[in-house]
Amino acid sequence: MRVLSSFVSSLLLSGATIVSAASSWSFEDATVSVSSKGAGVGAGPKDKLSPSTPLAKSVSLGVSDTLKLLLTIVDGKTAKRPHQAFLTLTDPITGLEESLVLNVKESGKGKVDVSQKDLPHQFLTSSKPIAASIVIGSFGSSTPYKSKVFDLQVSRDPNVPLTIPEAPLRYAAEPEIRHIFRADPQSPPKMITIVFAAAVVAALPVLFGVWATLGANVGHLSKALGDAPVSHALFYGSILAMEGIFFMYYTSWNLFQTLPAAGLVGVVAFLSGSRALTEVQERRLAGLR
Amino acid sequence: MRWAFSSALVLVWTAVVAAKSFSGNRLLVVLEEQGEREKYSVFLEDLTSRGYTTTVESPKADKLSLFRHGERAYDHVLLLPAKSKGLGPALTANNILEFLKKEGNIIIALSSESGTPTAVQSALLELDISIPADKGAVVVDHFNYDATSASEKHDVLLLELPGAIRSSIKNYFGGDGYIAVPRAVGQVLGNESPLLAPVLRAPSTAYSYNPKDEAEAVEDPFAVGKQLNLISTMQANNAARLTVVGSAELLQNKWFSESAKLAGKTIKTANREFAHKLSAWTFKETGVLKVGKIIHYQDEGKSKKMNTSTAVPENNPGIYRVKTDVHFQVEISEYSNDHLIPFTPASTDNIQLEFSMLSPFQRLNLSPIAQTANATIFGVAFKTPDQHGIFNFRINYRRPFLTNIDEKRQVTVRHFAHDEWPRSWQISGAWVWIGGIWVTVAGWLAFVALWLWSKPAERSVKKTQ
């Protein structure tokens, strides 16, 4: 007895049906047919359903089609009306369920019509076929029945847009955002830079060469130093120092270090420069320039 | 002296308040007939032993009020079903919602045998929880019923303790065993609100119907299958919790450890354990998060250890430069029954840090980097975006069954200072221009020397003229 009962319960749990048990719910003469709009009643293909094995091929439901399920519900052998007779559709991926109530008469004859407008939008967009199972149960001791009977393949017209409501807010981790940084500034290839920099640097010897061919010299240096040694040395030295100050400003000094130094050197250049240039003027007046 | 006084105060406080709840220990039990109290005695004793001071009142009692001087008079309310249609002036729908607004927690137990008072019904409707309008509606399942007590009516459901509703949500109600749910009123939760969460869903073959309908077959059930909830919860934005228990009988002594028969095999119900978990969650003994210290600092190559002592202030910098490496750490604990433990989120869940100015520039998953005795330290390293402005380090962690975390630390992100850019000689493209400048300088010095000291060329040509 115990073995039998555990056997029965294991059968129940596995979703199989027990036809042999004295009092258990099941169905007979079940047909599922799909008829498209405009076609006559019973025009579409008709498939017989068995309570023990699901239909091998899946039932296809088009946009304007209506699926009609007809069956006779039996308790043991006698046709009877149960309290619960549902056609339950289950999305195999999300587990979403929708139960349609079968309209059952006193005689146990039940029917349900399903068209696409009866289905929630998740079923219409499901990529896998939807499992359709029949659930029959009622009060008392009769074993209830639940088993998958067929797969429903919902085919949609891709040209007809489907209004899918926006998914409601649920608290969950949101997708990560990683900031995309602006690209770093680019320099041209170093080879090109070096070629042009070399051209610029090469201009200096060219300039000196041209000056030399035009007769440039520093022949009066000893004369100038002899006439006004301090002022010439200071004047040229201050010009050199000014360039040195610019160099320091470029590399490390700030403006407040640069300005006093530049002012000091500037005064020296002004004072010594006026003397040095007087000497130059004397040379010019002497016809030496 | 002051220290001694305050420590004495703490001692007194711990002695008096032995409550395990995070939010308080004053519990009001609303029960219409005092005779019914016996039926719930084990559940109420369990609550008392967990440190709650229970006050049992009839809804009709004169002095009953949820508020005193405009504040909550109780921290938690357990509302057991009443026979009468109204609940009296103290427990109107408005008062129930006001109680939630003041962070009070409520368990509402319904029963299909006594109708649901209109105050409760409209309060639930306000929260987007709908229950059948007609009195006597009951959830039945011809597959998972107790064959001992409900072999005919199938209205005592035997269900396994619930699992997590999503893999990213922690389950506070799970375990082994079966719960008996006798004569439950099913609830349907609105789809829009993220604050609602089901605890116990009906099995897929269950449905809710009204036995008073004479119809022999169910034609238009209130709700069917998993859309029908037997126990549902709502956690408001202020973390006030409300639990709707579809079956008050679930909390009664009778079902706490009853033998039941499910599909031929005898099982023991685990209602007592489940009732404990349910009340512990609702009254904030579990699922309460607490944020400790939040620190952030500029990464200078060495990682800093968080000083979790409350005596040391957070002492975070208030300004960062764009594109600097920053480390962020936060300490999160979870309150579990009577103490704080390190918080671990569900396996597929992540706590996220947003570095945002109006909208998040970075949203990063935090990973646990260390654990103290009662907190987990979560951290992440990232680079500040190349945009200056006023930014927030923000953690907004909201999950079903957990209290909300919303923490912000504001910092300024400044642009590069003039001396933080790379020097011109480091930029290869500038070499041509730098070369030009120094060539000019050299040329100028040479020109000055020539101009000062150049000796005129031989005038021999001129002389001949």
Side-chain angles (χ1 to χ4, degrees), chain A residues 5 32 95 98 113 141 144 177:
Chain A
S5 74
V32 58
E98 168 81 356
D113 289 341
S141 55
I177 298 174

Side-chain angles (χ1 to χ4, degrees), chain A residues 25 47 60 75 90 102 140 144-145 156 168-170 225 237 250 254 277:
Chain A
W25 291 98
D47 290 299
S60 173
D75 183 12
T90 313
L102 266 66
Y145 171 88
R156 283 195 58 247
L169 172 69
R170 290 290 176 268
L225 286 177
Y250 174 52
N254 61 33
L277 291 178

Side-chain angles (χ1 to χ4, degrees), chain A residues 90-96 123 126 128-131 151:
Chain A
T90 313
D91 190 318
I93 301 164
T94 59
L96 176 79
F123 285 164
S126 173
K128 281 198 171 166
I130 299 152
D151 276 322

Side-chain angles (χ1 to χ4, degrees), chain A residues 83-84 97 138-140 144 170-171 173-177 179 182 193 217 220 232 236 250 283 288-289, chain B residues 142 152 154 191 204-205 207 218 227 352 363 365 386 398 423-424 428 445 451-456:
Chain A
H83 193 257
Q84 178 189 23
E97 283 178 352
S138 197
F139 302 110
R170 290 290 176 268
Y171 292 143
E174 290 178 86
E176 274 193 286
I177 298 174
H179 184 69
R182 277 181 282 260
T193 311
N217 60 72
H220 277 170
H232 264 288
Y236 199 71
Y250 174 52
R283 259 190 282 146
L288 293 173
R289 265 172 70 90
Chain B
H142 303 299
E152 186 57 40
H154 301 183
N191 195 28
S204 65
T205 48
Y207 59 99
V218 58
Q227 290 157 26
Q352 293 180 318
R363 186 191 291 134
N365 292 337
D386 50 358
R398 284 164 172 258
R423 297 307 309 265
S424 55
S428 69
L445 290 175
W451 194 86
L452 284 177
W453 303 312
S454 190
K455 192 178 174 183

Side-chain angles (χ1 to χ4, degrees), chain B residues 19 26 80 101 118 169 175 182 185 231 237 266 305 316 328 359 364 397 410 421-422:
Chain B
R26 299 166 299 169
L80 293 168
K101 271 186 205 158
T118 42
I169 293 173
V185 179
I231 297 173
N237 283 322
T266 308
K305 231 176 164 183
N316 288 318
F328 177 87
S359 62
L364 305 158
Y397 186 68
Q410 186 180 299
W421 297 94

